[in-house]
Amino acid sequence: MCQDRISHNTRHHFRGIIKGRKISMFSFFGIVAAVVFILRNQEIKDFIDKFFIRSDAASSGRIDIWKLGLDIYTDGNLLWGSGFYTALDIAKNKGLEVNQFHNFFVETLINGGLFELVLVLASLVYTLYAVVKSQKLNKDIKNIYFFSLIALTVLLCVESVSFYGLGFVETVNAIVFITIPLLMSNSSDLNISFNSTTRVQ
């Protein structure tokens, strides 16, 4: 009886592995076929370039804005920054036409200096560490958070996103990427898994 059950579980396990590999291979070849199709179709390439890549706009002036921001930072207080309104006034006097520097790292250095940048990054690193080391969260949840952080990092490079402030965006970012993950990773009763259905025990 016990051997039959072990044999059944083993067959079921290997069937799951084979099925997963088939799905992965199908997905891989599907992506390759789609890429080849796009590369061979000039109309689709032009559409993607016009509405998504926007090569005519290039960096949309962001590189010049970043250089201006770094100049303001190096001329100010490296540890504590110059403060948001002071830095923005300086930038406006030097020709900045927008109200942000379109880069989280540059804007944080300008406003709060190296201290604020280290504080925010340390918060995110600690949250990631807590999620990875948590015994309460399964692999699916951890992967979701990890890839969300990757997407967030890309966004931080081209937009001024903050985590500590009184604004709506700052509050949402702090809740989604810091508060909720820390609460979930430290919960003693939470057990979340993604199978055929999501269940909470």
Side-chain angles (χ1 to χ4, degrees):
M1 181 71 178
C2 182
Q3 291 180 346
D4 292 340
R5 181 175 299 178
I6 294 175
S7 177
H8 173 75
N9 292 337
T10 302
R11 289 196 302 270
H12 181 74
H13 175 71
F14 281 108
R15 285 175 183 172
I17 294 176
I18 294 173
K19 182 179 180 181
R21 289 181 177 178
K22 287 182 179 179
I23 294 175
S24 300
M25 291 295 293
F26 179 80
S27 301
F28 172 76
F29 286 113
I31 293 173
V32 171
V35 171
V36 171
F37 176 76
I38 291 173
L39 292 177
R40 293 176 62 87
N41 192 309
Q42 188 61 41
E43 292 183 0
I44 296 179
K45 289 170 63 178
D46 293 340
F47 176 82
I48 294 175
D49 181 74
K50 180 179 180 179
F51 292 99
F52 296 96
I53 300 177
R54 301 184 62 186
S55 57
D56 58 327
S59 62
S60 301
R62 280 178 168 82
I63 295 177
D64 293 331
I65 295 175
W66 298 341
K67 290 180 179 179
L68 174 61
L70 291 175
D71 289 340
I72 295 174
Y73 169 67
T74 53
D75 291 338
N77 190 312
L78 299 182
L79 182 60
W80 303 108
S82 302
F84 176 74
Y85 294 105
T86 301
L88 194 57
D89 288 340
I90 296 173
K92 293 281 188 182
N93 292 331
K94 292 187 176 183
L96 182 67
E97 299 179 354
V98 294
N99 293 323
Q100 58 175 307
F101 293 91
H102 287 288
N103 185 290
F104 159 77
F105 303 98
V106 173
E107 184 131 4
T108 303
L109 284 173
I110 297 171
N111 297 336
L114 187 62
F115 177 81
E116 182 178 349
L117 180 62
V118 171
L119 177 64
V120 175
L121 293 180
S123 301
L124 292 172
V125 171
Y126 174 77
T127 305
L128 176 61
Y129 174 81
V131 170
V132 171
K133 291 297 183 180
S134 175
Q135 301 295 324
K136 310 299 179 182
L137 303 177
N138 69 1
K139 186 178 179 180
D140 293 328
I141 298 293
K142 295 178 180 181
N143 287 339
I144 289 172
Y145 183 72
F146 178 74
F147 287 108
S148 297
L149 275 185
I150 293 178
L152 176 66
T153 302
V154 175
L155 179 64
L156 295 180
C157 293
V158 295
E159 291 297 339
S160 297
V161 179
S162 181
F163 295 88
Y164 298 107
L166 299 177
F168 174 77
V169 175
E170 292 88 344
T171 303
V172 171
N173 287 333
I175 291 175
V176 172
F177 289 100
I178 298 176
T179 306
I180 292 179
L182 285 177
L183 289 175
M184 293 175 63
S185 62
N186 287 282
S187 174
S188 58
D189 298 321
L190 188 63
N191 182 17
I192 298 179
S193 64
F194 287 108
N195 295 320
S196 57
T197 58
T198 301
R199 57 180 186 273
V200 179
Q201 296 179 347

